[in-house]
Amino acid sequence: MDRAINPVDSVSISYRTVGDGPPVVMLHATALSQAMWRAFGYVAELRDSHRLVLMDFRGHGRSGKPHSSSAYGMELLVGDVLAVLDEERIDRADVFGYSLGSRVALSMATSAPDRVRRLVLGGTSSRVQAGAFDALFFPGCAAVLAESGMDAFIDRWEQRRGTPVDPATRMAFSVNDATALAAYMRELDRDPGVPDSALATLVHPTLAFVGSDDDTRLADTEHVVETIPDARMLVVPGRDHATTPAASEEILAEVAPFLT
């Protein structure tokens, strides 16, 4: 495991590189870590043709976990990605993100366009983020995390879903620092989103994917694809926001050729 330091606030970012070829930065979803890409088969499929840069966002995995909400501004999350690229001496990379990762990828493409080659955006949104986590999980989720911890959060999420969280996801969520994750959620809830005027200027080839049953992100992903010039979209049938990444065979059938 390697480390990069964000020069703005000295938070340590954990990452690793796997494979050889053109670089692809892979950005995970909320409360998960770089391990999601191995678990769902993306690393095994792409490592022979690409240099994969797998990183943990601050507040997640083995990266630093500040407890102040101000440490989770979008500009700092983008800065973490740039710090990893600088540490690896990568000038420009494809950026592949899911959920939180795709939101950071959009912000990076608009704020540092010269560092991005292509975009792969899963379950994405450019809209104002207020209420996004309450919609994805359950109302008041950040307060439950901060006051009652991760087990209570997962229990409430399962009640909202009406189905149990799969064991792998439960394990991935359980290792998080609940206070840091609550701080991250509260700050991202204030994020203003990426304006359509900025999306419309992007020149990066863009492929988006989303589950057909993803009630929280289907319309948002459609909006992003309609706004970024020449972007295209894959709809994964029968999947919601939580289960779409597991459809790796269908997703990689489109993504692998796109990244070639």
Side-chain angles (χ1 to χ4, degrees):
M1 195 70 69
D2 294 307
R3 295 268 170 186
I5 302 296
N6 188 317
V8 175
D9 61 359
S10 300
V11 169
S12 174
I13 304 302
S14 175
Y15 75 94
R16 71 177 71 211
T17 61
V18 179
D20 293 299
V24 181
V25 181
M26 305 193 73
L27 305 178
H28 62 80
T30 292
L32 299 180
S33 72
Q34 60 179 270
M36 71 169 279
W37 302 112
R38 288 185 182 274
F40 293 129
Y42 294 89
V43 171
E45 177 66 25
L46 296 173
R47 66 180 298 165
D48 290 340
S49 55
H50 294 83
R51 178 185 179 190
L52 306 179
V53 182
L54 311 169
M55 59 173 283
D56 292 333
F57 283 120
R58 59 176 60 204
H60 296 74
R62 297 184 180 179
S63 289
K65 297 177 176 62
H67 285 181
S68 170
S69 292
S70 62
Y72 293 94
M74 185 56 65
E75 72 283 356
L76 290 170
L77 298 180
V78 171
D80 293 343
V81 183
L82 297 177
V84 169
L85 291 181
D86 290 344
E87 185 70 19
E88 288 296 309
R89 296 182 173 84
I90 296 172
D91 293 329
R92 196 163 173 248
D94 296 335
V95 186
F96 182 165
Y98 188 74
S99 193
L100 161 66
S102 70
R103 177 70 184 79
V104 175
L106 277 177
S107 293
M108 181 174 165
T110 55
S111 63
D114 57 320
R115 306 299 298 271
V116 178
R117 184 168 173 243
R118 297 185 185 91
L119 288 168
V120 178
L121 307 172
T124 196
S125 178
S126 62
R127 301 185 190 276
V128 174
Q129 296 299 293
F133 292 114
D134 284 359
L136 282 173
F137 298 110
F138 57 87
C141 59
V144 170
L145 268 175
E147 297 165 12
S148 303
M150 186 59 70
D151 287 342
F153 171 89
I154 294 174
D155 289 344
R156 287 282 299 276
W157 185 25
E158 288 181 331
Q159 291 172 21
R160 174 73 176 274
R161 282 166 53 90
T163 58
V165 173
D166 68 87
T169 299
R170 175 178 278 273
M171 177 63 71
F173 272 62
S174 295
V175 299
N176 280 285
D177 179 318
T179 303
L181 194 60
Y184 145 78
M185 287 183 174
R186 285 170 169 155
E187 182 60 31
L188 268 292
D189 204 54
R190 293 189 281 267
D191 187 77
V194 181
D196 288 355
S197 57
L199 294 182
T201 67
L202 294 181
V203 296
H204 313 90
T206 301
L207 171 63
F209 64 90
V210 65
S212 64
D213 299 341
D214 188 344
D215 295 336
T216 60
R217 292 293 170 84
L218 179 56
D220 284 7
T221 302
E222 290 173 341
H223 176 77
V224 167
V225 170
E226 289 167 357
T227 309
I228 297 176
D230 300 321
R232 56 192 178 94
M233 184 170 79
L234 166 68
V235 177
V236 185
R239 300 282 181 162
D240 63 13
H241 195 72
T243 59
T244 293
S248 55
E249 185 173 350
E250 295 163 80
I251 293 166
L252 284 166
E254 296 289 332
V255 168
F258 177 76
L259 293 176
T260 301

